DNA sequence: CTGAACTGAGCAAACGGTTGCACCGAAGGA
DNA sequence: TCCTTCGGTGCAACCGTTTGCTCAGTTCAG
């Protein structure tokens, strides 16, 4: 069968304990012994069994990523792999492995969280969520399991989290459109379940106020955040007789739908209507016209999220940390009115 | 500390072995005893420790997903999360967990594969790859570890794999363009490292031949498969003085770049040049014009891949299986010449 | 009435590491 | 020379389950 630490010990004429310590690079083992052991490990093609190690150490060096999609669309959004890549990048450097788990519907959440936490398979988990009143967050706090939320939760002072400053993001974008001469700016895709959209909306309102533009509630359109219903949302708006001079969609995917509808109606973007999105998906720059957006730096969200998690796993839950990842307004043709 | 099987045993006045067997629903334990044990487990809030279980069982119910990106772009492509979702979907039903691992550069491959296989953490692995002569495939065969490749490998008879019939995919698309009246059809984005692009090219050639159209090598342009360099590729082609009546790009993302360039040059799509892509990324339908593509059914690729892997893990490596996932030509405006 | 066949459950040895503590020999100080 | 100190290593318990055997008690056929 496979070669174990005992085989190495026998071959090296030492005890298994010594081999174990050599592998852990314990200072209690002499250079000479280590060298001998490593040589034999190499020769015998030995790999430590991480399961056995995990059992003994009571820690697995595995973290779980929980995608709190109320819908499977969450998985499909381009920023998901980017976050994942960010996490993977720093996790790999720190010898951590990543277990992903799909959450399909809300009923399964509790079960999946239990599966990840109580079974002892993960040392900590990263929650991809920006949902309002997320029950998993409450539960994780309750069982005192190390976790970090990617996306600011509503009880922001009681958990570790990392996010963009979405209020500022909304503000910046609105400010930009105002500077481009837009006065009637529609805000599309507010989903009251997602804090991120609410925050961006808040920023939007603040910018209007700072520019002495009256808020018109009719211009604020609710919709599913990550579903691609921009086309319908815009259609509904215009069929009410409202033709804004600028549109901010809560996500680029929504914005694409908006532009599609405007095109069909013969309205020019940006000259008739300026359109902007958020999240800067890879295709925004290839769209016609290239879409103004905000880069949220999803890679960093993931990377920083993992760093916080590591800290959290070590520090036995003393204080709560947060991190704000800077964003970048990417101005492209879709808002550049002549 | 956490409650273990021994605590349950004591509370139920039975041996740990009996509890273990009750959990496994062994016929050797009486209904009455089982009932008593389950009740106590519930009361004491017991969760089995999967690490200890894995050690004893020598199997973890975890599979690894290896993303063989020569570049990190692989992670970013929209079909990646779709495949992942497919895998997760059926894995979840079968009580399997998923470990993902990032492969950044080729040098790390071996190390990461060892990490996943030799450490005992996974029971099998899914390789996301369509690379030519993938060294990891050779290695996995060598160590006799259960694995399935998503994407037909070159030694197709010696491994388990699942893929689309990319030759047919290329054929169908070419045939479509020919029927739309295109005679000079460019084929963009052939990457000799990727079997998938080579297969699609093969289909392209077959279709030309079947329609008695002479092959013009100048129309075949190599490029990076998943990089968004369609713009440059098209530019290079046209700057050689070649203006095809149709363009097939090996991926939608390339096609977007192609269209962008054509727009800039004042050429109308599809009337001047018909353009098609592959993989049917979510945005293709929102593009202007909506892009003709082929849906590769990435979800099924993942789901079926996992099913094959399960079979492979059980069947001690007897025979090799494969599965072909059907594709669907999605005709949209970008190729509908008037 | 006795031995065989069953049922239901327990003992104890794995599984492959880690780690607190004991131990031993050599060096150093008194 | 004797006692301490200390570097280097081994012993054995432990991590929480699983599982091959054994075994006690019943049932039942001969």
């Amino acid at each position: 069968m496979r070669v174990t630490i005992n085989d190495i010990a026998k071959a090296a004429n030492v005890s298994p304990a010594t081999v174990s310590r050599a592998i852990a690079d314990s200072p209690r083992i002499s250079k000479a012994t280590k060298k001998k052991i490593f040589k034999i490990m190499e020769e015998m093609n030995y790999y430590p069994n991480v399961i056995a190690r995990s059992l003994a150490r009571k820690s697995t060096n595995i973290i779980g990523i929980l995608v709190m999609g109320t819908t499977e669309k969450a998985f499909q959004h381009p920023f998901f792999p980017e976050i994942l890549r960010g996490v993977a990048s720093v996790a790999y450097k720190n010898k951590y492995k990543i277990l992903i788990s799909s959450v399909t519907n809300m009923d399964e959440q509790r079960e999946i969280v239990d599966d990840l936490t109580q079974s002892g398979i993960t040392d900590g988990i990263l929650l991809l969520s920006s949902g309002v009143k997320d029950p998993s967050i409450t539960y994780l706090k309750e069982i005192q399991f190390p976790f970090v939320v990617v996306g600011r939760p509503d009880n922001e002072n009681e958990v570790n989290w990392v996010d963009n400053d979405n209020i500022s993001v909304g503000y910046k974008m609105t400010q930009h459109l105002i500077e481009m001469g837009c006065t009637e700016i529609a805000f599309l895709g507010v989903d009251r379940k997602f804090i991120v959209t609410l925050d961006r909306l808040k920023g939007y309102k603040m910018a209007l106020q700072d520019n002495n533009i009256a808020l018109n509630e009719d211009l604020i359109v609710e919709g599913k955040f990550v579903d691609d219903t921009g086309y319908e949302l815009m259609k509904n708006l215009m069929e009410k007789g409202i033709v804004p001079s600028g549109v901010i969609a809560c996500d680029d995917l929504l914005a694409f739908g908006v532009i599609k509808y405007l095109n069909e109606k013969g309205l020019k973007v940006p000259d008739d209507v300026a359109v902007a999105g958020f999240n800067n998906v890879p295709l925004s720059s290839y769209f016609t016209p290239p879409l103004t957006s905000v880069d949220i730096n999803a890679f960093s969200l993931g990377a920083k999220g993992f760093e916080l998690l590591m800290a959290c796993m070590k520090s036995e839950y003393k204080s709560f940390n947060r991190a704000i990842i800077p964003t970048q307004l990417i101005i492209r043709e879709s808002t550049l009115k002549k």
Side-chain angles (χ1 to χ4, degrees), chain A residues 86-273:
Chain A
V87 177
S89 160
V90 13
Y92 178 71
K93 287 199 193 91
N94 290 279
K95 307 283 182 200
Y96 271 85
K97 293 188 171 55
I98 300 172
L99 207 58
I100 63 153
S101 93
S102 59
V103 169
T104 47
N105 59 60
M106 290 307 238
D107 309 336
E108 290 170 340
Q109 272 203 31
R110 169 64 178 267
E111 192 183 337
I112 294 184
V113 172
D114 274 341
D115 219 36
L116 244 41
T117 55
Q118 311 284 18
S119 67
I121 186 67
T122 60
D123 290 347
I125 85 178
L126 214 54
L127 229 59
L128 264 46
S129 155
S130 56
V132 172
K133 293 278 173 211
D134 191 318
S136 299
I137 293 181
T138 318
Y139 182 55
L140 284 165
K141 273 187 68 64
E142 194 183 312
I143 62 174
Q144 299 244 326
F145 197 83
F147 75 101
V148 167
V149 185
V150 178
R152 184 173 70 82
D154 29 23
N155 49 346
E156 57 175 296
N157 292 316
E158 301 162 22
V159 304
N160 300 289
W161 56 271
V162 51
D163 202 352
N164 306 116
D165 180 354
N166 280 305
I167 299 181
S168 145
V169 163
Y171 188 96
K172 273 196 277 188
M173 184 59 89
T174 311
Q175 184 69 35
H176 165 63
L177 282 195
I178 291 171
E179 282 164 11
M180 288 295 120
C182 300
T183 49
E184 303 238 277
I185 304 173
F187 194 91
L188 253 67
V190 177
D191 187 332
R192 306 216 164 266
K193 287 205 220 69
F194 288 104
I195 294 168
V196 48
T197 63
L198 294 174
D199 277 357
R200 287 173 184 173
L201 177 62
K202 199 177 288 179
Y204 161 85
K205 288 180 179 172
M206 285 166 57
L208 291 187
Q209 193 164 17
D210 286 359
N211 287 274
N212 295 312
I213 299 178
L215 180 65
N216 177 355
E217 292 284 355
D218 288 341
L219 288 172
I220 298 172
V221 182
E222 299 203 17
K224 299 246 166 142
F225 177 35
V226 286
D227 273 343
D228 33 7
T229 55
Y231 185 93
E232 281 73 26
L233 294 182
M234 196 61 206
K235 188 176 171 199
N236 292 343
L237 190 66
M238 290 197 38
E239 283 175 353
K240 282 198 217 160
I242 302 174
V243 184
S245 51
V247 175
I248 298 177
C250 264
D251 187 82
D252 287 355
L253 279 72
L254 289 174
F256 294 142
V258 168
I259 292 178
K260 182 176 183 179
Y261 181 75
L262 291 173
N263 281 343
E264 286 182 13
K265 286 292 149 185
L267 289 168
K268 294 281 176 226
V269 177
D271 293 332
D272 297 329
V273 187

Side-chain angles (χ1 to χ4, degrees), chain A residues 67-77 103-105 226-227:
Chain A
V67 186
M68 296 273 99
T70 46
T71 159
E72 55 197 21
K73 294 276 176 184
F75 245 56
Q76 296 175 304
H77 196 284
V103 169
T104 47
N105 59 60
V226 286
D227 273 343

